């Protein structure tokens, strides 16, 4: 039976990179003898322009019905002045909520071939292999907020962060079980020296960890974690953290591998899972055909592994990306003298040639 994928390209480079990933999925399915069907749906600023909302109901329905969702990116300067509830970013936030995607996995690995691209020294970054487990449907992203009010005669705005014990329990369990399949080490990141939500987070993590005596658990404040990621990234195995801290730390960690254009993610929860690069719509390079498609191609590999249980095909895509890089192909975000200049299409072709 065919597996059905909802493709949501979104805005900016979203279309270019999801096109690339769909080509890779089609070729991989042919070689590994399974059937995929695709359906494209709008979201983000493009959807807002077409129908006045960033997340049309039929996009949500298609995502719920699909076996997996491949998502590009949303947003752009053009929509920066749209009323907050209709901003393009509401599309990805709305999908995460509608699909109950409480886990966001952001793997950060630095193959030797990319270590020279990091602004950090190669010996610091080579061999880094971190899994960031970001809570995705709670915290300050989904708390009450006020865009503007007058308080004591001055204008102010506020965003409320709250976390419940069950929300922290389920993400912690996921992180512990992920660590059991890796190197057995979990670092929980919070700001419990200041924030009440972080204090509840830390004591809940400690409590859940009692069920996992095989896991080495430690805790870092988020400011120190940001520094440790740059000082000694190899100390980390699994990092579990809140929605906001995970967002910020994963962009920082992306630099270890030289470019955010290499960083995939998987969002997992109660229904269909969603796969997307961690980067945005890159308005500065959109439409030029030069975006690095690898983050989305590697997100498609995660889709095959987690949603369709096609481990061999997923591995084939990951190896093909490694081989294309080893052959010297580089999109502008990673290009240096002496390498082969690639754009989105030629980088994708190089990956396609190596799928076997
Ligand atoms: P961004 O990730 O889009 O871009 C940051 C920088 O990285 C830019 O210089 C961009 O050119 C570069 N970059 C990103 N992806 C790349 C790729 N694949 N290849 C080469 N270079 C790449 O972040 P931003 O500029 O802060 O945000 C732009 C828009 O994207 C905003 O509207 C933001 O809200 C949105 N955004 C959306 C998502 C999402 O849909 N999940 C994620 C992040 C940001
Ligand atoms: C990400 C993005 C999103 C987030 C935005 C676009 C809502 O930055 O996926 O990292 O903050 O989660
Ligand atoms: Mn982000």
């Amino acid at each position: 039976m065919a597996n059905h994928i909802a493709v949501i390209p979104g805005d900016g480079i979203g279309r270019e990179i999801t096109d690339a990933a769909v080509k890779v999925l089609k070729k991989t399915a042919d070689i590994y003898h399974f059937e995929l069907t695709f359906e494209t749906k709008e979201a983000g600023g493009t959807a807002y322009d077409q129908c006045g909302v960033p997340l049309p109901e039929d996009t949500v329905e298609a995502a719920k019905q699909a076996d997996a969702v491949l998502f590009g990116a949303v947003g752009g300067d053009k929509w920066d002045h749209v009323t907050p509830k209709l901003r393009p970013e509401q599309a990805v936030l709305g999908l995460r909520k509608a699909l109950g995607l409480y886990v966001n996995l952001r793997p950060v690995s630095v193959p030797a071939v990319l270590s020279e691209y990091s602004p950090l020294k190669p010996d610091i970054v080579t061999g880094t292999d971190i899994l960031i487990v970001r809570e995705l449907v709670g915290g300050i992203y989904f708390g009450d907020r006020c865009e503007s009010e007058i308080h004591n005669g001055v204008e102010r705005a506020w965003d409320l962060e709250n976390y419940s014990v069950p929300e922290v329990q389920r993400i912690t369990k996921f992180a512990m079980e992920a660590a059991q399949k890796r190197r057995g080490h979990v670092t929980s990141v919070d700001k419990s020296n200041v924030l009440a939500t972080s204090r509840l987070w830390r004591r809940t993590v400690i409590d859940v960890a009692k069920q996992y005596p095989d896991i080495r658990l430690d805790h870092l404040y988020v400011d120190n974690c940001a520094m440790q990621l740059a000082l000694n990234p190899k100390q980390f195995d699994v990092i579990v953290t809140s929605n906001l801290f995970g967002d910020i730390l994963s962009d920082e960690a992306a630099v270890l591998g030289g470019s955010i254009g290499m960083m995939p993610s998987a969002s997992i929860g109660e229904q269909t899972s969603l796969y997307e690069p961690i980067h945005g719509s890159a308005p500065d390079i959109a439409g030029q055909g030069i975006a690095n498609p690898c983050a989305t191609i590697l997100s498609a590999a995660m889709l095959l592994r987690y949603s369709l249980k096609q481990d061999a095909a997923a591995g084939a895509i990951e190896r093909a990306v490694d081989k294309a890089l080893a052959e010297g192909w580089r999109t502008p975000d990673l290009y240096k003298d002496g390498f082969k200049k690639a754009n989105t299409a030629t980088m994708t072709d190089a990956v396609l040639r190596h799928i076997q």
Side-chain angles (χ1 to χ4, degrees):
M1 227 181 65
N3 282 119
H4 189 61
I5 317 272
V7 182
I8 306 179
D11 308 317
I13 63 169
R15 209 155 298 263
E16 307 157 40
I17 56 179
T18 49
D19 279 353
V22 167
K23 277 188 192 146
V24 170
L25 281 171
K26 283 182 175 162
K27 172 144 188 202
T28 312
D30 277 352
I31 294 180
Y32 283 82
H33 307 295
F34 55 90
E35 234 180 287
L36 295 177
T37 53
F38 297 91
E39 172 186 21
T40 301
K41 290 288 171 187
E42 293 304 336
T46 315
Y48 173 80
D49 287 346
Q50 285 175 10
C51 53
V53 289
L55 184 59
E57 199 41 50
D58 75 311
T59 300
V60 178
E61 256 333 284
K64 284 186 176 166
Q65 298 305 323
D67 294 303
V69 179
L70 181 68
F71 190 89
V74 289
D77 317 342
K78 183 180 170 196
W79 302 285
D80 274 349
H81 302 290
V82 167
T83 181
K85 285 201 164 82
L86 296 176
R87 281 186 67 104
E89 289 82 356
Q90 292 303 321
V92 69
L93 297 173
L95 271 172
R96 290 170 184 171
K97 201 66 172 178
L99 298 174
L101 303 171
Y102 67 91
V103 183
N104 183 217
L105 299 179
R106 299 191 158 186
V108 186
S109 60
V110 184
V113 57
L114 285 185
S115 59
E116 63 179 292
Y117 288 92
S118 172
L120 301 178
K121 296 188 186 83
D123 62 305
I124 299 222
V125 294
T126 310
T128 295
D129 178 10
I130 306 172
L131 181 66
I132 298 178
V133 179
R134 172 188 177 196
E135 199 290 326
L136 203 60
V137 289
I140 199 164
Y141 273 61
F142 291 95
D144 286 345
R145 69 183 95 254
C146 169
E147 298 291 331
S148 170
E149 68 178 15
I150 302 298
H151 181 77
N152 292 338
V154 291
E155 186 185 9
R156 69 174 189 182
W158 48 265
D159 303 272
L160 193 74
E161 163 135 312
N162 63 69
Y163 266 116
S164 68
V165 168
E167 282 177 309
V168 183
Q169 282 171 332
R170 64 182 181 178
I171 192 76
T172 305
K173 281 184 188 150
F174 200 102
M176 293 284 160
E177 279 155 33
Q180 284 177 324
K181 295 181 204 122
R182 294 170 50 96
R183 302 189 299 281
H185 177 201
V186 171
T187 304
S188 170
V189 176
D190 63 39
K191 187 74 189 172
S192 59
N193 49 348
V194 178
L195 302 176
T197 42
S198 278
R199 284 188 280 274
L200 177 133
W201 179 281
R202 189 177 287 213
R203 76 176 146 79
T204 306
V205 170
I206 290 172
D207 206 42
V208 170
K210 290 179 187 146
Q211 298 160 41
Y212 300 90
D214 49 330
I215 299 299
R216 179 162 67 91
L217 171 68
D218 48 31
H219 306 269
L220 283 181
Y221 298 135
V222 63
D223 45 354
N224 186 19
C225 180
M227 181 172 72
Q228 295 301 327
L229 274 170
L231 277 178
N232 178 17
K234 280 183 269 193
Q235 72 184 282
F236 295 110
D237 177 12
V238 172
I239 291 177
V240 63
T241 192
S242 66
N243 206 341
L244 180 63
F245 295 160
D247 178 47
I248 297 167
L249 293 176
S250 56
D251 266 36
E252 184 194 358
V255 171
L256 303 171
S259 172
I260 199 166
M262 295 298 304
M263 286 272 298
S265 89
S267 302
I268 297 169
E270 293 147 7
Q271 303 188 29
T272 319
S273 298
L274 179 148
Y275 302 83
E276 58 170 327
I278 81 153
H279 60 70
S281 56
D284 52 336
I285 58 165
Q288 300 176 36
I290 57 168
N292 187 342
C294 291
T296 317
I297 291 172
L298 293 169
S299 301
M302 293 182 89
L303 181 158
L304 293 183
R305 177 168 292 118
Y306 293 111
S307 284
L308 308 190
K309 310 295 173 209
Q310 294 283 354
D311 281 29
I317 294 177
E318 287 156 355
R319 280 194 305 280
V321 170
D322 285 346
K323 285 181 185 163
L325 291 168
E327 235 177 27
W329 293 101
R330 300 283 186 274
T331 41
D333 52 321
L334 288 171
Y335 181 76
K336 281 184 184 171
D337 277 351
F339 287 91
K340 296 177 179 148
K341 264 195 188 139
N343 56 26
T344 310
T346 49
M347 189 74 208
T348 307
D349 286 342
V351 174
L352 286 168
R353 278 197 299 279
H354 285 294
I355 292 174
Q356 47 192 249

